[in-house]
Amino acid sequence: MPVSFITVIDFLGTFSFAVAGAFAAMEKKLDPFGVLIIAFATAVGGGTIRDLLIGEMPVAWLGNTAGIYVIFAGALAAIFFGSYLKKMDRMLFLSDAMGLGLFTMIGIQKGLDHGFSTGISIMLGTITGCFGGVLRDVLLNNVPLIFQKEIYASASIAGGLLFFLLVRIEMAAPFASSICILFIFLVRVLAVRWNWSLPKLYVK
Amino acid sequence: MPVSFITVIDFLGTFSFAVAGAFAAMEKKLDPFGVLIIAFATAVGGGTIRDLLIGEMPVAWLGNTAGIYVIFAGALAAIFFGSYLKKMDRMLFLSDAMGLGLFTMIGIQKGLDHGFSTGISIMLGTITGCFGGVLRDVLLNNVPLIFQKEIYASASIAGGLLFFLLVRIEMAAPFASSICILFIFLVRVLAVRWNWSLPKLYVK
Amino acid sequence: MPVSFITVIDFLGTFSFAVAGAFAAMEKKLDPFGVLIIAFATAVGGGTIRDLLIGEMPVAWLGNTAGIYVIFAGALAAIFFGSYLKKMDRMLFLSDAMGLGLFTMIGIQKGLDHGFSTGISIMLGTITGCFGGVLRDVLLNNVPLIFQKEIYASASIAGGLLFFLLVRIEMAAPFASSICILFIFLVRVLAVRWNWSLPKLYVK
């Protein structure tokens, strides 16, 4: 996978996460500073929790100036062009789905680089992809959305399993990662398109 | 204290914490993935926060495959045998109480290993024993239960104080730890049996 | 700035943060242990999150026995002299404002010591000054106050910007830090005095 393509997805994903965070914050009527913080937490939360758990500090985003500008841009875009962005719902959703795929794969790769097992690496991928949203919801005093709504974390987990399956049958890692990212993207798109969701569990 | 006995308590405690987390998540009607995450957070949260504070990374559970299986087992048991487990309330409560004692002692030991003072070591013990439940409640958007209900963290703190008292009067550490664990277990059991609680504080 | 003066502000700031945390916990009718935990989280939360992000572990407060006593003192004072302290509202507010200034500056300094850029250092300053309050509100199941109410984090950010401006025009660092702390203090005092706040953002 060419680096420049990854960079583009990374920026688009970060931007979408920041916009999603800013919208959620504005729905709770926060002030501009709160909106910015929530945009940040949404965009960097997953990678931060992953880095803390594996002990890779300073956490990645502190050294990623370009990423910080992208987050600022996302928050400002949501603040100033909110109504316009809302109309681009579909594009934001698609880049969020691409971001979920890419961030999951980045987390898995970090897990492997640190010598963790398959299972832990998939967990780290899911944490990277999904826990920014969890942090956003905790800060906004909501029950985390991904624990409740349609297929989200499950797409990330399924993609991770697929990646290790492909590597097991000796597909080259760059191919396997690309397929994993695309698979997560597609599962998300199909899940929302056809309203897939996991059954809720009740205490009988 | 023989290692195999500690391992048994550790597994029982982890299992009970995971079941308690899964039940709390099912009460909020989360999907299966959410239930699993909350079971995890409850079981490993305390140790994770302790490891982050003292800088022992990667955090312990990432390398503890057996523990991860126990958590999965606890979450699955809660999901599939919820009604049956509910009838085993008492056994779950007893292993939770044993877990609280053991995890507190593990945290204290880690504090001592890192050269911390008595006070800080007791804090680390209490964090290890109690903060999984705090994390669970924060993720589920509840005010943490242990800040409100009957004696829980106080049992953990009292046990820690007792441990250092026993060591001070030159009891051998393995004996002192065993007594500390049993003491915390008993305080919990008696507190629930006789409905002990701390007074609530109001701003006058 | 003489060290002893910094120590005094540090203690006053820590004390005020602990009292503010304890009051917030008592409003939610927590038990004494919960009040103590929230006082702690409020007082050390910001520095802890900063230390975790930059990887300086064990986190600072674990080694700061004097600070721990100050927090205990603050929590106990709130519990036993709550009604009296309430009448000292103004003094508490003033030391909170001094604390915000000082903690912001301490965070900025840590950022510079670790070789971070201006922007990241200001962020670390703001995290140090403000995120104890965020952690308190998350634990108490409130939407973080600083995201909603009058100028608070913005005062911290503005002070950070002023510091780097002063250093840029070659003012000696000790002078620049003192002015930064005083500036944050004054902005807070004036903001509350004249009820300044940032506009809230709505999704149009």
Side-chain angles (χ1 to χ4, degrees):
Chain A
M1 218 172 194
V3 166
S4 59
F5 183 55
I6 291 183
T7 310
V8 169
I9 302 182
D10 190 356
F11 279 14
L12 282 176
T14 302
F15 186 85
S16 314
F17 278 30
V19 168
F23 278 147
M26 288 193 286
E27 257 164 43
K28 285 260 174 169
K29 306 210 176 9
L30 300 198
D31 70 22
F33 174 77
V35 171
L36 189 59
I37 293 269
I38 301 291
F40 250 94
T42 312
V44 304
T48 299
I49 295 171
R50 176 202 63 215
D51 287 350
L52 291 179
L53 293 176
I54 62 180
E56 195 168 292
M57 263 104 79
V59 299
W61 65 269
L62 287 179
N64 180 3
T65 313
I68 290 175
Y69 284 128
V70 170
I71 296 169
F72 266 91
L76 292 177
I79 290 173
F80 290 111
F81 310 111
S83 51
Y84 186 69
L85 276 177
K86 281 269 166 183
K87 281 178 208 138
M88 297 172 20
D89 239 7
R90 176 166 305 196
M91 217 200 68
L92 284 175
F93 164 69
L94 293 179
S95 23
D96 180 277
M98 278 306 266
L100 178 64
L102 182 73
F103 296 145
T104 300
M105 199 54 235
I106 291 175
I108 290 175
Q109 195 55 56
K110 277 234 185 177
L112 293 176
D113 292 348
H114 280 71
F116 287 115
S117 66
T118 301
I120 296 290
S121 297
I122 293 178
M123 277 191 199
L124 292 173
T126 303
I127 288 171
T128 310
C130 304
F131 273 56
V134 172
L135 187 59
R136 172 198 64 209
D137 293 337
V138 165
L139 287 173
L140 290 176
N141 203 16
N142 297 321
V143 175
L145 211 58
I146 69 152
F147 297 165
Q148 305 183 88
K149 74 169 176 178
E150 85 282 354
I151 305 291
Y152 195 96
S154 348
S156 161
I157 294 172
L161 290 170
L162 178 65
F163 171 76
F164 282 102
L165 197 78
L166 294 176
V167 169
R168 178 73 50 94
I169 60 169
E170 305 201 347
M171 185 180 279
F175 283 103
S177 340
S178 308
I179 291 179
C180 157
I181 295 171
L182 282 174
F183 176 80
I184 294 174
F185 172 75
L186 283 176
V187 171
R188 269 299 288 157
V189 169
L190 296 176
V192 168
R193 176 73 185 74
W194 284 320
N195 208 17
W196 292 344
S197 70
L198 295 177
K200 279 169 183 43
L201 301 166
Y202 298 83
V203 183
K204 288 124 210 168
Chain B
M1 217 173 194
V3 166
S4 59
F5 182 55
I6 291 182
T7 309
V8 169
I9 303 182
D10 190 355
F11 278 14
L12 282 175
T14 302
F15 186 85
S16 314
F17 278 30
V19 169
F23 278 148
M26 289 193 285
E27 257 164 43
K28 285 259 176 171
K29 306 209 176 8
L30 299 199
D31 70 24
F33 175 76
V35 171
L36 188 60
I37 293 269
I38 301 291
F40 250 94
T42 311
V44 304
T48 299
I49 295 170
R50 176 203 63 216
D51 287 350
L52 290 180
L53 293 175
I54 64 180
E56 196 169 289
M57 261 103 78
V59 299
W61 64 270
L62 287 180
N64 180 2
T65 312
I68 289 176
Y69 284 127
V70 170
I71 296 169
F72 265 91
L76 291 177
I79 289 173
F80 289 111
F81 309 110
S83 51
Y84 186 69
L85 276 177
K86 280 270 164 181
K87 282 178 208 139
M88 299 172 17
D89 238 8
R90 177 165 306 197
M91 217 201 66
L92 284 174
F93 165 69
L94 294 179
S95 23
D96 181 276
M98 280 305 266
L100 178 64
L102 181 73
F103 297 145
T104 300
M105 199 56 233
I106 290 175
I108 291 174
Q109 197 54 55
K110 277 234 184 176
L112 293 175
D113 293 348
H114 280 71
F116 287 115
S117 67
T118 302
I120 295 289
S121 297
I122 293 177
M123 277 191 201
L124 291 173
T126 303
I127 287 172
T128 309
C130 304
F131 272 55
V134 172
L135 187 58
R136 172 197 66 210
D137 293 337
V138 165
L139 286 174
L140 290 176
N141 203 17
N142 297 321
V143 174
L145 211 57
I146 69 153
F147 297 164
Q148 304 183 91
K149 73 167 177 180
E150 85 282 357
I151 306 291
Y152 194 96
S154 348
S156 161
I157 294 171
L161 290 170
L162 178 64
F163 171 77
F164 283 102
L165 197 78
L166 295 176
V167 169
R168 178 73 51 94
I169 61 171
E170 304 200 350
M171 183 180 283
F175 283 104
S177 337
S178 308
I179 292 178
C180 156
I181 295 171
L182 282 174
F183 176 80
I184 294 174
F185 172 76
L186 283 174
V187 171
R188 269 299 288 157
V189 169
L190 296 175
V192 168
R193 176 74 186 73
W194 284 319
N195 206 17
W196 292 344
S197 70
L198 296 177
K200 279 167 184 44
L201 302 166
Y202 298 82
V203 183
K204 288 126 210 166
Chain C
M1 218 174 193
V3 166
S4 60
F5 182 55
I6 290 182
T7 309
V8 168
I9 302 183
D10 189 358
F11 279 13
L12 283 176
T14 302
F15 186 85
S16 315
F17 277 31
V19 168
F23 278 149
M26 289 193 285
E27 258 165 42
K28 285 260 174 168
K29 306 207 178 6
L30 299 199
D31 70 24
F33 174 76
V35 171
L36 188 60
I37 293 269
I38 302 291
F40 250 94
T42 312
V44 304
T48 298
I49 294 171
R50 175 203 64 215
D51 287 350
L52 291 180
L53 293 176
I54 63 181
E56 195 168 290
M57 263 102 79
V59 299
W61 66 270
L62 287 179
N64 180 3
T65 312
I68 290 176
Y69 284 127
V70 170
I71 296 170
F72 266 91
L76 291 176
I79 290 173
F80 291 110
F81 309 111
S83 51
Y84 186 69
L85 275 177
K86 281 270 164 180
K87 281 177 207 140
M88 296 172 20
D89 239 8
R90 176 166 306 196
M91 217 200 65
L92 284 174
F93 164 69
L94 293 179
S95 20
D96 181 277
M98 279 306 265
L100 178 64
L102 182 72
F103 297 145
T104 299
M105 199 55 234
I106 289 175
I108 290 174
Q109 195 55 56
K110 277 235 184 177
L112 293 176
D113 292 348
H114 280 73
F116 287 115
S117 66
T118 302
I120 296 290
S121 298
I122 293 178
M123 277 191 199
L124 291 173
T126 303
I127 287 171
T128 310
C130 304
F131 272 57
V134 172
L135 187 59
R136 172 197 66 209
D137 294 337
V138 165
L139 286 174
L140 290 176
N141 203 16
N142 296 321
V143 174
L145 212 57
I146 69 152
F147 298 164
Q148 305 182 89
K149 73 169 177 179
E150 85 282 355
I151 305 290
Y152 195 96
S154 349
S156 161
I157 294 172
L161 290 171
L162 178 64
F163 171 76
F164 282 102
L165 197 77
L166 295 175
V167 169
R168 178 72 52 95
I169 60 170
E170 303 200 350
M171 184 180 281
F175 282 104
S177 338
S178 309
I179 292 179
C180 157
I181 295 170
L182 282 174
F183 175 80
I184 294 174
F185 172 76
L186 283 175
V187 171
R188 269 300 287 158
V189 170
L190 296 176
V192 168
R193 176 75 186 70
W194 284 320
N195 206 18
W196 292 345
S197 70
L198 296 177
K200 279 166 184 46
L201 301 167
Y202 298 82
V203 182
K204 289 124 209 167

